[in-house]
Amino acid sequence: MWKIRKTYKYRLYPTKNQIVILDEQLALCCELYNAALQERRDAWKMAHKSIGFRSQSDQLPRIKADRPDVREIYSQVLQDVLHRVDKTFQSFFRRVRHKESPGFPRFRSYARYDSLTYPQLGFAIKDARLNLSKIGSIKIKLHRPVDGKIKTLTIKRAAGKWYACFSVEVVNIPLSPSSKSIGIDVGL
């Protein structure tokens, strides 16, 4: 037995007010992403100093104290934005080490920043509704059950519609040995 990850995608039906809140949160997360990227670039250009996730994450309480609009976003969503920046730089440096074409991390426009991730907490499913911290209860179309332990939730905007993508950890039980012929489609 081993554990695998699956993703279940469901359609969300937010109210007009919730759409405004979700759009505002996406815009603020995009702003935070670009600011974190800019801070890392400036620190390296001016002082040849590298800034990591921890030092940027430690600044979040001060940012929330200064900006009441940022306070309206769940704290783990903000931390995930900084994790995205960190992963982008780690991938860049990995490509540099392996002498690949690195492609320095770029700023994101609002139109290309289209998801919020709740890494652990801040959400719950109850009675065909998805309860999100600091957003409220959103109608969700649960067309199939979520099997396994939910690890993360990503709220995604695509083509003017909203989706909830649950990343789930599932225990995969191997098939018993068989002497019969089988066919496997590996999706190639």
Side-chain angles (χ1 to χ4, degrees), residues 10-15 18 21-22 25 74 76-77 116-142 150 152-155 163-166:
Y10 301 98
R11 176 83 190 274
L12 292 175
Y13 297 93
T15 64
Q18 289 169 334
I21 293 169
L22 287 167
Q25 288 193 2
Y74 188 62
Q76 287 189 357
V77 171
L116 304 169
T117 300
Y118 289 78
Q120 297 169 357
L121 305 169
F123 61 91
I125 302 173
K126 186 176 180 184
D127 301 329
R129 299 196 70 81
L130 176 65
N131 295 319
L132 296 174
S133 179
K134 305 216 176 187
I135 295 176
S137 180
I138 301 175
K139 184 179 174 188
I140 184 170
K141 177 69 174 170
L142 292 169
I150 298 173
T152 63
L153 165 65
T154 301
I155 304 298
Y163 299 92
C165 301
F166 295 96

Side-chain angles (χ1 to χ4, degrees), residues 10-144:
Y10 301 98
R11 176 83 190 274
L12 292 175
Y13 297 93
T15 64
K16 289 180 182 180
N17 188 39
Q18 289 169 334
I19 290 172
V20 169
I21 293 169
L22 287 167
D23 282 334
E24 287 172 356
Q25 288 193 2
L26 280 177
L28 289 170
C29 286
C30 180
E31 182 183 338
L32 177 64
Y33 180 93
N34 289 333
L37 180 62
Q38 183 68 42
E39 181 183 28
R40 286 180 182 220
R41 290 176 66 174
D42 290 348
W44 183 255
K45 280 182 184 176
M46 294 179 188
H48 288 290
K49 182 180 175 191
S50 183
I51 296 177
F53 167 77
R54 174 58 62 201
S55 62
Q56 288 187 319
S57 180
D58 291 343
Q59 296 175 31
L60 283 177
R62 288 192 304 272
I63 293 170
K64 289 170 92 173
D66 293 342
R67 303 247 335 245
D69 53 348
V70 176
R71 247 182 271 146
E72 297 302 316
I73 302 175
Y74 188 62
S75 62
Q76 287 189 357
V77 171
L78 294 172
Q79 289 174 5
D80 183 71
V81 171
L82 297 178
H83 275 297
R84 286 185 194 189
V85 174
D86 197 49
K87 285 179 197 173
T88 303
F89 272 93
Q90 287 175 6
S91 296
F92 167 73
F93 289 122
R94 179 191 47 79
R95 289 189 301 272
V96 168
R97 276 193 310 275
H98 290 106
K99 299 191 181 355
E100 298 172 9
S101 176
F104 194 79
R106 295 185 290 182
F107 294 104
R108 296 255 187 108
S109 70
Y110 170 71
R112 295 201 52 195
Y113 199 94
D114 58 3
S115 66
L116 304 169
T117 300
Y118 289 78
Q120 297 169 357
L121 305 169
F123 61 91
I125 302 173
K126 186 176 180 184
D127 301 329
R129 299 196 70 81
L130 176 65
N131 295 319
L132 296 174
S133 179
K134 305 216 176 187
I135 295 176
S137 180
I138 301 175
K139 184 179 174 188
I140 184 170
K141 177 69 174 170
L142 292 169
H143 58 278
R144 61 183 168 177

Side-chain angles (χ1 to χ4, degrees), residues 6 8 10 144-150 166-171:
K6 280 185 166 182
Y8 291 92
Y10 301 98
R144 61 183 168 177
V146 179
D147 294 330
K149 183 179 180 187
I150 298 173
F166 295 96
S167 180
V168 179
E169 190 174 72
V170 181
V171 176

